[in-house]
PDB file of all heavy atoms in Angstrom:
ATOM      1  N   HIS A   5     -11.053  -8.865   9.284  1.00  0.00           N
ATOM      2  CA  HIS A   5     -10.745 -10.196   9.851  1.00  0.00           C
ATOM      3  C   HIS A   5      -9.218 -10.319   9.948  1.00  0.00           C
ATOM      4  O   HIS A   5      -8.398  -9.803   9.240  1.00  0.00           O
ATOM      5  CB  HIS A   5     -11.204 -11.246   8.818  1.00  0.00           C
ATOM      6  CG  HIS A   5     -11.153 -12.681   9.374  1.00  0.00           C
ATOM      7  ND1 HIS A   5      -9.993 -13.441   9.552  1.00  0.00           N
ATOM      8  CD2 HIS A   5     -12.208 -13.509   9.941  1.00  0.00           C
ATOM      9  CE1 HIS A   5     -10.289 -14.536  10.057  1.00  0.00           C
ATOM     10  NE2 HIS A   5     -11.548 -14.553  10.334  1.00  0.00           N
ATOM     11  N   GLY A   6      -8.807 -10.906  10.940  1.00  0.00           N
ATOM     12  CA  GLY A   6      -7.303 -10.944  11.315  1.00  0.00           C
ATOM     13  C   GLY A   6      -6.508 -11.582  10.220  1.00  0.00           C
ATOM     14  O   GLY A   6      -5.206 -11.376  10.272  1.00  0.00           O
ATOM     15  N   GLU A   7      -6.995 -12.322   9.403  1.00  0.00           N
ATOM     16  CA  GLU A   7      -6.212 -13.077   8.378  1.00  0.00           C
ATOM     17  C   GLU A   7      -5.964 -12.216   7.136  1.00  0.00           C
ATOM     18  O   GLU A   7      -4.923 -12.427   6.345  1.00  0.00           O
ATOM     19  CB  GLU A   7      -7.029 -14.292   7.909  1.00  0.00           C
ATOM     20  CG  GLU A   7      -7.011 -15.478   8.745  1.00  0.00           C
ATOM     21  CD  GLU A   7      -7.690 -16.619   8.160  1.00  0.00           C
ATOM     22  OE1 GLU A   7      -8.851 -16.497   7.588  1.00  0.00           O
ATOM     23  OE2 GLU A   7      -7.103 -17.725   8.288  1.00  0.00           O
ATOM     24  N   VAL A   8      -6.573 -11.172   6.906  1.00  0.00           N
ATOM     25  CA  VAL A   8      -6.521 -10.377   5.554  1.00  0.00           C
ATOM     26  C   VAL A   8      -5.371  -9.339   5.642  1.00  0.00           C
ATOM     27  O   VAL A   8      -5.678  -8.124   5.638  1.00  0.00           O
ATOM     28  CB  VAL A   8      -7.830  -9.818   5.190  1.00  0.00           C
ATOM     29  CG1 VAL A   8      -8.819 -10.919   4.857  1.00  0.00           C
ATOM     30  CG2 VAL A   8      -8.530  -8.912   6.354  1.00  0.00           C
ATOM     31  N   GLN A  32     -18.829 -14.957  -5.237  1.00  0.00           N
ATOM     32  CA  GLN A  32     -17.750 -14.845  -4.330  1.00  0.00           C
ATOM     33  C   GLN A  32     -17.034 -16.121  -4.112  1.00  0.00           C
ATOM     34  O   GLN A  32     -15.795 -16.174  -3.894  1.00  0.00           O
ATOM     35  CB  GLN A  32     -18.301 -14.192  -3.111  1.00  0.00           C
ATOM     36  CG  GLN A  32     -18.645 -12.693  -3.208  1.00  0.00           C
ATOM     37  CD  GLN A  32     -18.587 -11.885  -1.922  1.00  0.00           C
ATOM     38  OE1 GLN A  32     -18.264 -12.442  -0.941  1.00  0.00           O
ATOM     39  NE2 GLN A  32     -18.945 -10.720  -2.083  1.00  0.00           N
ATOM     40  N   SER A  33     -17.831 -17.167  -3.986  1.00  0.00           N
ATOM     41  CA  SER A  33     -17.209 -18.550  -3.732  1.00  0.00           C
ATOM     42  C   SER A  33     -16.366 -18.914  -4.946  1.00  0.00           C
ATOM     43  O   SER A  33     -15.222 -19.599  -4.790  1.00  0.00           O
ATOM     44  CB  SER A  33     -18.334 -19.562  -3.468  1.00  0.00           C
ATOM     45  OG  SER A  33     -19.053 -19.341  -2.347  1.00  0.00           O
ATOM     46  N   ALA A  36     -13.155 -17.036  -4.738  1.00  0.00           N
ATOM     47  CA  ALA A  36     -12.303 -17.476  -3.570  1.00  0.00           C
ATOM     48  C   ALA A  36     -11.656 -18.797  -4.055  1.00  0.00           C
ATOM     49  O   ALA A  36     -10.450 -19.081  -3.699  1.00  0.00           O
ATOM     50  CB  ALA A  36     -13.176 -17.747  -2.347  1.00  0.00           C
ATOM     51  N   SER A  37     -12.324 -19.645  -4.715  1.00  0.00           N
ATOM     52  CA  SER A  37     -11.771 -20.794  -5.113  1.00  0.00           C
ATOM     53  C   SER A  37     -10.566 -20.640  -6.151  1.00  0.00           C
ATOM     54  O   SER A  37      -9.556 -21.357  -6.169  1.00  0.00           O
ATOM     55  CB  SER A  37     -12.853 -21.844  -5.714  1.00  0.00           C
ATOM     56  OG  SER A  37     -13.273 -21.319  -7.085  1.00  0.00           O
ATOM     57  N   LEU A  39      -8.676 -17.985  -6.249  1.00  0.00           N
ATOM     58  CA  LEU A  39      -7.522 -17.592  -5.300  1.00  0.00           C
ATOM     59  C   LEU A  39      -6.878 -18.702  -4.491  1.00  0.00           C
ATOM     60  O   LEU A  39      -5.596 -18.773  -4.658  1.00  0.00           O
ATOM     61  CB  LEU A  39      -8.023 -16.488  -4.273  1.00  0.00           C
ATOM     62  CG  LEU A  39      -7.044 -15.959  -3.337  1.00  0.00           C
ATOM     63  CD1 LEU A  39      -5.903 -15.231  -4.127  1.00  0.00           C
ATOM     64  CD2 LEU A  39      -7.636 -15.013  -2.318  1.00  0.00           C
ATOM     65  N   GLU A  40      -7.629 -19.548  -4.049  1.00  0.00           N
ATOM     66  CA  GLU A  40      -7.120 -20.666  -3.227  1.00  0.00           C
ATOM     67  C   GLU A  40      -6.301 -21.610  -4.196  1.00  0.00           C
ATOM     68  O   GLU A  40      -5.158 -22.017  -3.812  1.00  0.00           O
ATOM     69  CB  GLU A  40      -8.308 -21.523  -2.589  1.00  0.00           C
ATOM     70  CG  GLU A  40      -7.667 -22.482  -1.673  1.00  0.00           C
ATOM     71  CD  GLU A  40      -8.832 -23.293  -1.013  1.00  0.00           C
ATOM     72  OE1 GLU A  40     -10.035 -23.100  -1.351  1.00  0.00           O
ATOM     73  OE2 GLU A  40      -8.606 -24.180  -0.136  1.00  0.00           O
ATOM     74  N   GLY A  58      -0.828 -13.602   7.333  1.00  0.00           N
ATOM     75  CA  GLY A  58      -1.854 -13.276   6.447  1.00  0.00           C
ATOM     76  C   GLY A  58      -1.866 -14.038   5.011  1.00  0.00           C
ATOM     77  O   GLY A  58      -2.494 -13.746   4.143  1.00  0.00           O
ATOM     78  N   LEU A  59      -1.097 -15.089   5.008  1.00  0.00           N
ATOM     79  CA  LEU A  59      -1.021 -15.984   3.808  1.00  0.00           C
ATOM     80  C   LEU A  59      -2.180 -16.711   3.608  1.00  0.00           C
ATOM     81  O   LEU A  59      -2.726 -17.295   4.605  1.00  0.00           O
ATOM     82  CB  LEU A  59       0.281 -16.716   3.809  1.00  0.00           C
ATOM     83  CG  LEU A  59       1.606 -15.978   3.821  1.00  0.00           C
ATOM     84  CD1 LEU A  59       2.783 -16.929   3.694  1.00  0.00           C
ATOM     85  CD2 LEU A  59       1.724 -14.915   2.767  1.00  0.00           C
ATOM     86  N   VAL A  60      -2.621 -16.974   2.388  1.00  0.00           N
ATOM     87  CA  VAL A  60      -3.791 -17.856   2.074  1.00  0.00           C
ATOM     88  C   VAL A  60      -3.386 -19.287   2.117  1.00  0.00           C
ATOM     89  O   VAL A  60      -2.625 -19.730   1.413  1.00  0.00           O
ATOM     90  CB  VAL A  60      -4.350 -17.573   0.642  1.00  0.00           C
ATOM     91  CG1 VAL A  60      -5.408 -18.557   0.323  1.00  0.00           C
ATOM     92  CG2 VAL A  60      -4.957 -16.142   0.609  1.00  0.00           C
ATOM     93  N   ARG A  61      -3.937 -19.928   3.208  1.00  0.00           N
ATOM     94  CA  ARG A  61      -3.647 -21.317   3.460  1.00  0.00           C
ATOM     95  C   ARG A  61      -4.826 -22.158   3.519  1.00  0.00           C
ATOM     96  O   ARG A  61      -4.727 -23.318   3.846  1.00  0.00           O
ATOM     97  CB  ARG A  61      -2.720 -21.480   4.727  1.00  0.00           C
ATOM     98  CG  ARG A  61      -1.343 -20.848   4.692  1.00  0.00           C
ATOM     99  CD  ARG A  61      -0.474 -21.288   5.861  1.00  0.00           C
ATOM    100  NE  ARG A  61       0.822 -20.854   5.692  1.00  0.00           N
ATOM    101  CZ  ARG A  61       1.427 -19.803   6.319  1.00  0.00           C
ATOM    102  NH1 ARG A  61       0.641 -18.884   6.922  1.00  0.00           N
ATOM    103  NH2 ARG A  61       2.598 -19.434   6.172  1.00  0.00           N
ATOM    104  N   SER A  62      -5.991 -21.578   3.347  1.00  0.00           N
ATOM    105  CA  SER A  62      -7.249 -22.276   3.618  1.00  0.00           C
ATOM    106  C   SER A  62      -8.338 -21.680   2.781  1.00  0.00           C
ATOM    107  O   SER A  62      -8.219 -20.466   2.401  1.00  0.00           O
ATOM    108  CB  SER A  62      -7.671 -22.334   5.125  1.00  0.00           C
ATOM    109  OG  SER A  62      -7.998 -21.006   5.525  1.00  0.00           O
ATOM    110  N   THR A  63      -9.393 -22.427   2.588  1.00  0.00           N
ATOM    111  CA  THR A  63     -10.547 -21.887   1.899  1.00  0.00           C
ATOM    112  C   THR A  63     -11.216 -20.614   2.677  1.00  0.00           C
ATOM    113  O   THR A  63     -11.623 -19.636   2.049  1.00  0.00           O
ATOM    114  CB  THR A  63     -11.723 -23.003   1.797  1.00  0.00           C
ATOM    115  OG1 THR A  63     -11.118 -24.077   1.032  1.00  0.00           O
ATOM    116  CG2 THR A  63     -12.951 -22.461   1.172  1.00  0.00           C
ATOM    117  N   VAL A  64     -11.243 -20.758   3.930  1.00  0.00           N
ATOM    118  CA  VAL A  64     -11.764 -19.672   4.838  1.00  0.00           C
ATOM    119  C   VAL A  64     -10.958 -18.301   4.539  1.00  0.00           C
ATOM    120  O   VAL A  64     -11.518 -17.254   4.348  1.00  0.00           O
ATOM    121  CB  VAL A  64     -11.749 -19.985   6.303  1.00  0.00           C
ATOM    122  CG1 VAL A  64     -12.113 -18.797   7.119  1.00  0.00           C
ATOM    123  CG2 VAL A  64     -12.743 -21.174   6.590  1.00  0.00           C
ATOM    124  N   ALA A  65      -9.592 -18.450   4.570  1.00  0.00           N
ATOM    125  CA  ALA A  65      -8.747 -17.343   4.346  1.00  0.00           C
ATOM    126  C   ALA A  65      -9.086 -16.717   2.871  1.00  0.00           C
ATOM    127  O   ALA A  65      -9.233 -15.481   2.756  1.00  0.00           O
ATOM    128  CB  ALA A  65      -7.258 -17.751   4.427  1.00  0.00           C
ATOM    129  N   ALA A  66      -9.190 -17.575   1.964  1.00  0.00           N
ATOM    130  CA  ALA A  66      -9.470 -17.122   0.491  1.00  0.00           C
ATOM    131  C   ALA A  66     -10.867 -16.324   0.542  1.00  0.00           C
ATOM    132  O   ALA A  66     -10.951 -15.148  -0.050  1.00  0.00           O
ATOM    133  CB  ALA A  66      -9.573 -18.249  -0.424  1.00  0.00           C
ATOM    134  N   ARG A  67     -11.762 -16.828   1.219  1.00  0.00           N
ATOM    135  CA  ARG A  67     -13.178 -16.120   1.257  1.00  0.00           C
ATOM    136  C   ARG A  67     -13.073 -14.804   2.045  1.00  0.00           C
ATOM    137  O   ARG A  67     -13.784 -13.883   1.562  1.00  0.00           O
ATOM    138  CB  ARG A  67     -14.107 -17.064   1.912  1.00  0.00           C
ATOM    139  CG  ARG A  67     -14.548 -18.226   1.123  1.00  0.00           C
ATOM    140  CD  ARG A  67     -15.461 -19.241   1.827  1.00  0.00           C
ATOM    141  NE  ARG A  67     -15.904 -20.306   1.077  1.00  0.00           N
ATOM    142  CZ  ARG A  67     -16.507 -21.397   1.500  1.00  0.00           C
ATOM    143  NH1 ARG A  67     -16.813 -21.490   2.768  1.00  0.00           N
ATOM    144  NH2 ARG A  67     -16.868 -22.394   0.595  1.00  0.00           N
ATOM    145  N   ASN A  68     -12.224 -14.813   3.142  1.00  0.00           N
ATOM    146  CA  ASN A  68     -12.082 -13.454   3.775  1.00  0.00           C
ATOM    147  C   ASN A  68     -11.416 -12.344   2.969  1.00  0.00           C
ATOM    148  O   ASN A  68     -11.749 -11.253   3.079  1.00  0.00           O
ATOM    149  CB  ASN A  68     -11.321 -13.708   5.029  1.00  0.00           C
ATOM    150  CG  ASN A  68     -12.014 -14.504   6.177  1.00  0.00           C
ATOM    151  OD1 ASN A  68     -13.295 -14.503   6.172  1.00  0.00           O
ATOM    152  ND2 ASN A  68     -11.341 -15.226   6.884  1.00  0.00           N
ATOM    153  N   TYR A  69     -10.504 -12.848   2.106  1.00  0.00           N
ATOM    154  CA  TYR A  69      -9.940 -11.908   1.180  1.00  0.00           C
ATOM    155  C   TYR A  69     -10.876 -11.368   0.218  1.00  0.00           C
ATOM    156  O   TYR A  69     -10.921 -10.130  -0.229  1.00  0.00           O
ATOM    157  CB  TYR A  69      -8.598 -12.431   0.421  1.00  0.00           C
ATOM    158  CG  TYR A  69      -7.388 -12.241   1.322  1.00  0.00           C
ATOM    159  CD1 TYR A  69      -6.959 -13.310   1.988  1.00  0.00           C
ATOM    160  CD2 TYR A  69      -6.772 -11.032   1.369  1.00  0.00           C
ATOM    161  CE1 TYR A  69      -5.701 -13.217   2.773  1.00  0.00           C
ATOM    162  CE2 TYR A  69      -5.551 -10.889   2.025  1.00  0.00           C
ATOM    163  CZ  TYR A  69      -4.982 -11.947   2.775  1.00  0.00           C
ATOM    164  OH  TYR A  69      -3.942 -11.820   3.635  1.00  0.00           O
ATOM    165  N   VAL A  70     -11.779 -12.291  -0.336  1.00  0.00           N
ATOM    166  CA  VAL A  70     -12.679 -11.881  -1.271  1.00  0.00           C
ATOM    167  C   VAL A  70     -13.737 -10.802  -0.608  1.00  0.00           C
ATOM    168  O   VAL A  70     -14.181  -9.901  -1.246  1.00  0.00           O
ATOM    169  CB  VAL A  70     -13.438 -13.122  -1.873  1.00  0.00           C
ATOM    170  CG1 VAL A  70     -14.751 -12.630  -2.714  1.00  0.00           C
ATOM    171  CG2 VAL A  70     -12.558 -13.863  -2.722  1.00  0.00           C
ATOM    172  N   SER A  71     -14.085 -11.140   0.674  1.00  0.00           N
ATOM    173  CA  SER A  71     -14.986 -10.169   1.381  1.00  0.00           C
ATOM    174  C   SER A  71     -14.330  -8.820   1.588  1.00  0.00           C
ATOM    175  O   SER A  71     -15.015  -7.800   1.461  1.00  0.00           O
ATOM    176  CB  SER A  71     -15.353 -10.798   2.828  1.00  0.00           C
ATOM    177  OG  SER A  71     -16.045 -12.051   2.718  1.00  0.00           O
ATOM    178  N   LEU A  72     -13.034  -8.789   1.760  1.00  0.00           N
ATOM    179  CA  LEU A  72     -12.269  -7.524   1.928  1.00  0.00           C
ATOM    180  C   LEU A  72     -12.398  -6.729   0.500  1.00  0.00           C
ATOM    181  O   LEU A  72     -12.578  -5.651   0.499  1.00  0.00           O
ATOM    182  CB  LEU A  72     -10.837  -7.747   2.282  1.00  0.00           C
ATOM    183  CG  LEU A  72     -10.003  -6.584   2.282  1.00  0.00           C
ATOM    184  CD1 LEU A  72     -10.547  -5.591   3.428  1.00  0.00           C
ATOM    185  CD2 LEU A  72      -8.542  -6.884   2.712  1.00  0.00           C
ATOM    186  N   HIS A 220      -8.488  -8.906  15.416  1.00  0.00           N
ATOM    187  CA  HIS A 220      -9.090  -8.928  14.009  1.00  0.00           C
ATOM    188  C   HIS A 220      -8.938  -7.570  13.472  1.00  0.00           C
ATOM    189  O   HIS A 220      -8.954  -7.318  12.233  1.00  0.00           O
ATOM    190  CB  HIS A 220     -10.444  -9.387  14.150  1.00  0.00           C
ATOM    191  CG  HIS A 220     -10.571 -10.896  14.219  1.00  0.00           C
ATOM    192  ND1 HIS A 220     -10.112 -11.710  13.224  1.00  0.00           N
ATOM    193  CD2 HIS A 220     -11.106 -11.820  15.103  1.00  0.00           C
ATOM    194  CE1 HIS A 220     -10.372 -12.955  13.509  1.00  0.00           C
ATOM    195  NE2 HIS A 220     -10.919 -13.005  14.613  1.00  0.00           N
TER     196      HIS A 220
END
Side-chain angles (χ1 to χ4, degrees):
H5 195 281
E7 287 184 310
V8 292
Q32 289 202 2
S33 296
S37 68
L39 177 61
E40 185 180 7
L59 300 181
V60 172
R61 294 188 172 98
S62 68
T63 301
V64 172
R67 288 175 178 170
N68 287 333
Y69 274 102
V70 171
S71 294
L72 176 62
H220 279 300

